[in-house]
């Protein structure tokens, strides 16, 4: 695992969070309910938070571990992207219910990633 991978992944997820946030605030605002829009925004926020964590870890590479990288990367994919899929499919009337159990797995990966930071600092 290289420092560049952490930084590039964090930057790409950050960039996508901005794009998805703008998409939600403008294009989706017209088709999503208030609750759906809040859920979508939660996915965007958690994606951005953890994109920033990946950047910080990348710029502090000697502290980072590959396990941290994978926890935050898969956490974003499973947590945020499952929320996007749930919200968008629900708005189209065909909710992809199989995504529901995936979201907490992503959240658990976030928790494990943060725990790995605590243990590394300890």
């Amino acid at each position: 695992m290289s420092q560049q991978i952490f930084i590039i992944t964090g930057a790409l997820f950050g960039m996508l969070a901005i794009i998805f946030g703008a998409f939600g605030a403008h294009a989706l605002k017209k088709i999503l309910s208030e609750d759906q829009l809040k859920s979508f925004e939660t996915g965007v926020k958690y994606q951005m938070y953890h994109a920033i964590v990946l950047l910080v870890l990348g710029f502090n590479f000697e502290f980072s571990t590959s396990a941290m990288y994978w926890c935050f990367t898969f956490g974003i994919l499973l947590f945020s992207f499952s929320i996007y899929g749930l919200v968008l499919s629900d708005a189209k009337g065909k909710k992809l219910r199989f995504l529901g159990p995936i979201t907490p797995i992503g959240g658990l990966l976030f928790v494990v990633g943060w725990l790995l930071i605590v243990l590394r600092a300890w």
Side-chain angles (χ1 to χ4, degrees):
M1 186 72 46
S2 72
Q3 181 178 20
Q4 290 86 354
I5 296 294
F6 275 79
I7 295 169
I8 290 168
T9 303
L12 287 173
F13 278 137
M15 177 188 72
L16 287 173
I18 296 297
I19 292 168
F20 294 162
F23 183 65
H26 299 287
L28 294 180
K29 193 173 189 176
K30 299 170 186 169
I31 64 169
L32 297 181
S33 70
E34 190 174 322
D35 285 343
Q36 290 170 327
L37 195 55
K38 281 184 182 182
S39 291
F40 193 87
E41 289 170 353
T42 297
V44 171
K45 282 191 267 187
Y46 275 70
Q47 180 177 334
M48 181 57 85
Y49 299 153
H50 293 91
I52 292 168
V53 170
L54 285 168
L55 287 172
V56 169
L57 290 171
F59 287 114
N60 294 284
F61 191 67
E62 65 285 345
F63 178 85
S64 305
T65 66
S66 61
M68 291 173 193
Y69 171 85
W70 290 115
C71 282
F72 291 124
T73 298
F74 282 119
I76 290 169
L77 292 172
L78 295 178
F79 184 85
S80 293
F81 282 72
S82 68
I83 290 175
Y84 305 148
L86 282 165
V87 168
L88 295 174
S89 64
D90 188 34
K92 293 203 174 251
K94 297 181 182 177
K95 190 170 187 176
L96 300 174
R97 296 193 186 282
F98 73 91
L99 292 174
I102 293 173
T103 307
I105 296 169
L108 181 61
L109 287 170
F110 287 152
V111 171
V112 171
W114 285 104
L115 178 61
L116 291 172
I117 291 173
V118 169
L119 294 174
R120 181 83 166 109
W122 196 292

